[in-house]
DNA sequence: GCTAACCGCAACAGTCTTGTTGCGAATAAT
DNA sequence: ATTATTCGCAACAAGACTGTTGCGGTTAGC
């Protein structure tokens, strides 16, 4: 359960919820143990307002993660993994996902609680990723003997690392670096 | 400042300190927000005993990180980065560091506070790592155009990933996988 | 064996956090 | 224009956690 109320929210309330989610991301990215008070302050909102929309701290985190994963999902779909040529899709998706991850560093790093909707969303994305990588492998860009799971883990690790490192500044350049390193290493 | 007392500890106190550090690693690896009470319980010790040895929770974390970084340092030196042939050293150090990281997952993942001794130790290790990779590069195993910083980041990322993934079980096999992926990618 | 160090235990103080409730003013939606 | 929603504010309850102190029995080290 994400929000407390089921009925559709008024426009201003909707805006407030988004502001809270985004503030939470900003604050928690800096300090994962930050209090609700601190998040409320960053959102320009009273602490009680957060509790009005989210049943608990946990619920807020869940909502953040779900929102972020939704955007990752869109980022993947925008790369047309099914139809585009594998190498094009790989590059495009890498760039798109990097962009999303830049804005949702905390939410996307946090391990989702077992069995939660967020965990399911994560699994679905993992599955899509595996499908894409398998396709790339069939296209001959990945050696046939490489385990897809290991391929995905390395891909994830490189995506994460490309976020931490400051350069290159350009998103496409970063994506290219990730893909090149993934496929050919540095040797 | 790590411990509260400057004078040499009695043998049993020394043992207790080690037990606390190791218990903290086990507990915090599972739940980074675990309380001192929980850590004390795991160490088979009263909570006040922890406070007798460590001025604060922060001090305990610092001590853990320092201890772990010391072991990493030993793991690197045991690989003879200066004298052994680059590829041998790279493999050996990878295996050694993986072994240490397995036991100090939390302490080595936690970002060290700015300016702390732990931060300095981390920087020194980064420097040693860069030196090693530069040597590997001069030996022709890494392309000359690859940035050493990026090389190190990818290396770190692969080390981390090799910890998360369950297989292969054998440490040397894991190290080989890391080195191979680092140098040649998966394509 | 003497002595200082060690550690469990009980109790306490203080702070911080989460989560709740009720009221009243502002505002979106019809 | 009316009405229900929204949100700031103040206050409260409950609990968790950190850090401290004093006492007393036990144990390591000389």
């Amino acid at each position: 359960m994400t929000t407390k109320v089921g009925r559709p929210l008024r426009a201003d309330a909707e805006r407030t919820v988004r502001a809270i989610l985004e503030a939470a991301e900003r604050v928690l990215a800096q300090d994962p143990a930050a209090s609700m008070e601190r998040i409320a302050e960053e959102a320009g909102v009273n602490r009680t307002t957060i509790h009005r929309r989210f049943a608990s701290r946990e619920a807020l985190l869940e909502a953040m993660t779900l929102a972020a994963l939704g955007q990752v999902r869109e980022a993947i779909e925008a790369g047309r993994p099914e139809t585009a040529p594998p190498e094009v899709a790989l590059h495009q998706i890498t760039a798109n996902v990097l962009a999303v991850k830049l804005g949702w560093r905390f939410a996307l790093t946090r391990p989702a609680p077992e069995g939660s909707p967020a965990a399911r969303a994560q699994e679905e994305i993992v599955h899509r990723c595996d499908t894409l990588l398998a396709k790339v492998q069939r296209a001959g860009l990945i050696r046939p003997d490489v385990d897809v799971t290991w391929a995905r883990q390395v891909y994830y690790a490189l995506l994460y690392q490309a976020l931490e490192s400051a350069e290159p500044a350009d998103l496409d350049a970063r994506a290219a670096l990730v893909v090149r390193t993934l496929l050919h290493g540095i040797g």
Side-chain angles (χ1 to χ4, degrees), chain A:
Chain A
M1 185 195 315
T2 298
T3 59
K4 262 172 139 177
V5 266
R7 92 187 110 80
L9 294 179
R10 227 168 66 175
D12 50 351
E14 200 86 49
R15 252 176 294 140
T16 302
V17 168
R18 300 190 71 87
I20 292 172
L21 290 178
E22 289 164 14
E25 167 59 39
R26 281 195 300 276
V27 170
L28 294 175
Q30 278 206 337
D31 173 15
S35 69
M36 302 288 270
E37 183 70 54
R38 180 69 194 81
I39 295 172
E41 183 190 358
E42 173 80 15
V45 141
N46 193 279
R47 185 174 62 92
T48 52
T49 298
I50 299 188
H51 283 109
R52 248 190 284 266
R53 297 295 163 220
F54 303 96
S56 69
R57 183 192 176 85
E58 259 316 297
L60 171 59
L61 297 193
E62 259 286 305
M64 282 178 62
T65 308
L66 263 184
L69 287 174
Q71 295 203 17
V72 171
R73 188 201 172 105
E74 286 173 21
I76 294 177
E77 280 173 7
R80 314 200 175 279
E82 314 294 347
T83 57
E87 44 191 325
V88 174
L90 186 58
H91 175 92
Q92 195 57 49
I93 287 175
T94 301
N96 291 351
V97 170
L98 274 179
V100 173
K101 277 194 175 239
L102 262 177
W104 295 96
R105 203 177 293 239
F106 171 83
L108 294 175
T109 313
R110 180 185 90 99
E114 303 247 352
S116 64
R120 274 193 293 279
Q122 247 173 10
E123 284 161 23
E124 204 223 303
I125 289 177
V126 162
H127 184 256
R128 278 171 176 258
C129 187
D130 282 355
T131 307
L132 171 66
L133 288 174
K135 196 179 169 190
V136 173
Q137 189 171 41
R138 277 196 306 278
L141 294 172
I142 296 177
R143 286 197 308 274
D145 62 300
V146 170
D147 180 29
V148 179
T149 300
W150 175 247
R152 187 213 329 127
Q153 288 174 336
V154 173
Y155 184 45
Y156 268 46
L158 289 175
L159 278 175
Y160 175 79
Q161 205 46 249
L163 277 189
E164 297 311 303
S165 106
E167 50 184 338
D170 178 41
L171 212 65
D172 267 314
R174 278 200 207 192
L177 184 58
V178 167
V179 171
R180 188 171 358 119
T181 305
L182 175 69
L183 296 183
H184 306 118
I186 60 177

